[in-house]
Amino acid sequence: MISFHAPVVGTVLLIAAVLTGWYSRRLHRRQSIISKTPTTDLGQLSEAPIVEVQAEVIDGETFDSPIGNKECVLSVWEVDEYDDTGWETRVSGIDARPFILDDGTGQTRVDIEDHVKAKSNSEWEINWGGLDIDRMLSVGVSIDDVYCVFDEFSVEHSVSSDCELPPQIAAFESADPDIPERSESIIKLGEMDLESKSKRRYFEETITPGQEIYLLCEATATGETTHPTGPDDIVLKPRQGEELTIISDQTQTDIIADFNQYRWGYAAAGIMAFIGLISFIPS
């Protein structure tokens, strides 16, 4: 009995090791980029493919966030739906308007732009026993290489299978063509077939005026700039060419501490791979 199950267990452990190693490598890469990039005072900004700033949002084109209806300059959201395998992300997005940062040495404009990502069939998520492992391991949303990480990324609304959408959520979904309709299923109740809509949950976090944020991005000259550029000629935007951009309500120190979990991930992946390989050795 043991020898029959050992290869199965070994295969599962090897797959888990690969997934854990991949996730840890992603954290390691992000931690390395942040650690190697010095923080720049806004008063010293010039054109650069990568800059790191920590400053307060003092002004901007505010709007009401689509899910929580909060006044903000940036909203990060995600729509999850429950199916046979557990919670799956259906679509996530970043709604943003230009805003102004001030760190005491100067001010500059930020333009993150809007980003929406619908889940494709080629993407996979980690679920186990109905638990959404991906969401447990992450506190933000990554779209088009723009990674928004927060101290918390919480559920603003939950909708059960027998409930209609609240007006705010219904308006949000109808206004965005990238958000798919709720899936339907048939429940057998004796001789009757009852239609039921899927459960959904809606995550959202926002950046608001008066909030201090961390930003890893690109410093680009505005269109009417004369060279050499100065701080007043710069706008901060997402980095080009599939390079990582980070926006967060945490400090650099806190973000690095979160990303340092990659060390535990490497260790766990190594242990699982070792045990998995041993299980294939004949006793």
Side-chain angles (χ1 to χ4, degrees):
M1 181 67 69
I2 295 176
S3 60
F4 175 77
H5 286 296
V8 177
V9 173
T11 300
V12 172
L13 286 173
L14 289 176
I15 293 174
V18 170
L19 294 176
T20 303
W22 170 82
Y23 179 77
S24 300
R25 178 67 187 90
R26 185 172 63 173
L27 287 180
H28 189 182
R29 174 176 172 267
R30 291 171 175 172
Q31 187 265 3
S32 179
I33 292 172
I34 295 174
S35 299
K36 293 178 180 178
T37 306
T39 302
T40 301
D41 291 337
L42 296 184
Q44 302 298 318
L45 278 177
S46 60
E47 279 190 281
I50 180 171
V51 295
E52 175 185 275
V53 300
Q54 187 99 31
E56 180 184 349
V57 179
I58 62 168
D59 197 8
E61 299 177 17
T62 60
F63 64 98
D64 293 333
S65 66
I67 294 177
N69 200 33
K70 301 173 183 176
E71 185 179 11
C72 64
V73 294
L74 183 142
S75 164
V76 181
W77 51 267
E78 180 179 287
V79 179
D80 290 2
E81 188 171 278
Y82 196 86
D83 59 19
D84 294 337
T85 62
W87 287 105
E88 296 281 348
T89 300
R90 290 292 179 252
V91 61
S92 52
I94 302 169
D95 292 354
R97 303 293 183 272
F99 57 90
I100 305 297
L101 287 180
D102 188 323
D103 68 350
T105 70
Q107 298 180 0
T108 195
R109 182 171 173 267
V110 180
D111 191 0
I112 298 298
E113 303 175 342
D114 293 344
H115 303 266
V116 177
K117 177 184 178 183
K119 183 177 182 295
S120 66
N121 293 330
S122 62
E123 295 181 87
W124 48 266
E125 295 188 17
I126 307 173
N127 285 284
W128 182 75
L131 296 176
D132 186 356
I133 305 299
D134 285 317
R135 179 46 55 213
M136 292 172 63
L137 294 174
S138 179
V139 285
V141 166
S142 182
I143 307 172
D144 298 335
D145 296 300
V146 178
Y147 184 51
C148 301
V149 57
F150 296 93
D151 186 45
E152 291 183 336
F153 191 57
S154 55
V155 176
E156 284 287 330
H157 290 284
S158 295
V159 180
S160 61
S161 57
D162 57 349
C163 292
E164 294 297 322
L165 296 177
Q168 175 78 13
I169 300 299
F172 163 60
E173 291 200 353
S174 62
D176 194 330
D178 291 303
I179 302 177
E181 295 184 0
R182 292 166 71 189
S183 302
E184 294 185 354
S185 60
I186 303 297
I187 300 176
K188 297 289 290 185
L189 188 61
E191 299 288 327
M192 300 175 59
D193 291 338
L194 301 179
E195 290 188 358
S196 175
K197 291 186 178 292
S198 62
K199 294 188 291 185
R200 275 193 171 178
R201 59 186 185 185
Y202 301 81
F203 294 82
E204 185 181 53
E205 287 297 334
T206 59
I207 299 295
T208 60
Q211 192 170 9
E212 185 167 315
I213 66 169
Y214 169 91
L215 190 59
L216 183 80
C217 58
E218 179 176 313
T220 304
T222 58
E224 302 176 355
T225 300
T226 57
H227 293 272
T229 58
D232 295 337
D233 304 315
I234 297 298
V235 59
L236 300 180
K237 289 189 172 185
R239 298 171 66 200
Q240 302 299 308
E242 299 183 356
E243 296 291 341
L244 178 67
T245 296
I246 298 177
I247 183 168
S248 177
D249 63 354
Q250 297 177 283
T251 65
Q252 182 210 51
T253 302
D254 290 336
I255 297 171
I256 290 176
D258 287 344
F259 289 166
N260 274 339
Q261 297 175 39
Y262 78 84
R263 293 188 174 94
W264 297 103
Y266 282 155
I271 292 171
M272 287 188 289
F274 178 72
I275 297 175
L277 290 172
I278 287 179
S279 68
F280 287 94
I281 300 176
S283 56

